[in-house]
Amino acid sequence: MFRVFVSLAMAVLWTVVANAQPANSRLDDIIKRGTLRVGMTGDYRPFTYLDKTTSKFTGFDVDMAEALGKALGVKVEFVQTAWPQLMKDFEADNFDIAMGGVSITLDRQKKGMFSTPIMREGKTPIARCADKDKYETIADIDKAGTRVIVNPGGTNERFAKANIKNAEIKMWNDNVTIFDEIAKGNADLMMTDSSETRYQQKQHPGVLCAVHPEKPFDFAEKAYWLQRDIALKAFVDQWLHIATEDGSFKKIYAAWFD
């Protein structure tokens, strides 16, 4: 009887131990698969841009994704998404990581994990250079007759709707051509991430000007949005730490922002 009891106890113990062993992590799965699936909108220069004629992605976070893939020893597969459907695609597990100028939000944090932040900034206006002094504050902007243009589905839309009550909000679906609408006079300004306003100012010299990008209206950080896996996050964070210390992050950054 005692032997039977001991045998049963050992069987239960081994069952508990076996169940306690963690299943393969997503990091293990990525390495075994040989591919890192990276979700990108392809419409947010200089972070990511998709050339529809060649179906090729280029940009800061494209180069960073390739560097991450190299560190993992796997190929990178870019999966196109869009800001309005980014959350749904993430929840559907269409990719392992979202890159391309993704801002940290609590809603996104509920669904996954964020890497160490790669950039600190916030929302600030960009307008025609002749008018930039008109839009120093939210109060200056939020007046009847002012046309604020915004792309749908992301933090830009959320910020505009939270702060603009009197000015007109114009939705524009193409985040690549949206700044041309300001330059042509079809809108007065856009409030977007300060990094983007600096970049677009360079693309439209003397036409569009970033308004106090060094002092944005709010606080935000950009990072890489990961499916919920501690091992994957630990790897990405360590990779970013090494890239920051050995200068490789700075080299990629300089190619797109300086």
Side-chain angles (χ1 to χ4, degrees):
M1 187 69 181
F2 178 74
R3 289 181 178 179
V4 173
F5 175 78
V6 171
S7 297
L8 288 172
M10 291 298 294
V12 171
L13 177 61
W14 280 115
T15 299
V16 171
V17 170
N19 290 336
Q21 296 301 313
N24 282 354
S25 69
R26 183 173 293 265
L27 177 62
D28 295 328
D29 293 340
I30 290 168
I31 294 172
K32 184 178 180 180
R33 187 198 311 146
T35 305
L36 174 69
R37 299 172 304 155
V38 180
M40 284 192 168
T41 62
D43 66 350
Y44 188 10
R45 289 169 165 160
F47 295 96
T48 172
Y49 174 68
L50 175 63
D51 186 329
K52 295 181 180 179
T53 59
T54 63
S55 298
K56 183 179 180 181
F57 283 91
T58 56
F60 168 74
D61 274 335
V62 176
D63 290 351
M64 289 295 289
E66 293 289 0
L68 175 56
K70 184 177 180 180
L72 285 163
V74 301
K75 295 181 180 179
V76 175
E77 175 189 342
F78 292 105
V79 180
Q80 187 181 10
T81 183
W83 296 113
Q85 67 189 56
L86 179 61
M87 182 74 78
K88 289 182 179 179
D89 285 346
F90 186 89
E91 291 182 289
D93 196 14
N94 290 343
F95 37 79
D96 305 300
I97 181 172
M99 303 175 71
V102 179
S103 296
I104 296 174
T105 69
L106 294 179
D107 286 342
R108 290 169 181 165
Q109 183 73 54
K110 291 176 184 176
K111 304 296 183 179
M113 307 177 82
F114 279 101
S115 70
T116 300
I118 62 166
M119 191 176 296
R120 178 174 178 168
E121 56 179 0
K123 302 299 181 189
T124 202
I126 182 169
R128 289 181 296 280
C129 293
D131 300 330
K132 71 181 185 72
D133 293 337
K134 297 179 181 179
Y135 307 120
E136 292 283 333
T137 67
I138 294 290
D140 292 337
I141 295 168
D142 192 21
K143 294 178 178 178
T146 301
R147 299 163 299 167
V148 180
I149 196 166
V150 64
N151 60 307
T155 57
N156 287 342
E157 180 184 8
R158 182 182 302 179
F159 183 84
K161 289 185 174 179
N163 291 278
I164 300 302
K165 307 302 178 184
N166 301 302
E168 177 188 358
I169 296 178
K170 298 185 64 174
M171 303 304 296
W172 189 261
N173 289 325
D174 188 350
N175 200 40
V176 174
T177 62
I178 194 168
F179 298 95
D180 295 332
E181 291 299 295
I182 304 172
K184 290 187 292 187
N186 295 331
D188 296 311
L189 74 142
M190 179 180 181
M191 292 181 289
T192 185
D193 298 324
S194 54
S195 58
E196 187 174 34
T197 65
R198 288 189 175 102
Y199 178 80
Q200 290 297 334
Q201 178 176 261
K202 291 181 180 179
Q203 305 310 304
H204 301 81
V207 179
L208 298 183
C209 286
V211 182
H212 53 64
E214 72 288 349
K215 293 181 179 180
F217 290 141
D218 66 350
F219 163 79
E221 289 179 317
K222 293 193 184 303
Y224 300 137
W225 192 21
L226 309 155
Q227 295 288 350
R228 194 175 286 127
D229 183 80
I230 294 174
L232 179 59
K233 173 175 166 53
F235 185 94
V236 172
D237 285 347
Q238 188 62 51
W239 163 71
L240 282 171
H241 173 66
I242 293 172
T244 301
E245 295 299 321
D246 69 11
S248 54
F249 178 91
K250 184 177 181 180
K251 184 177 180 180
I252 295 174
Y253 182 93
W256 293 99
F257 290 97
D258 292 348

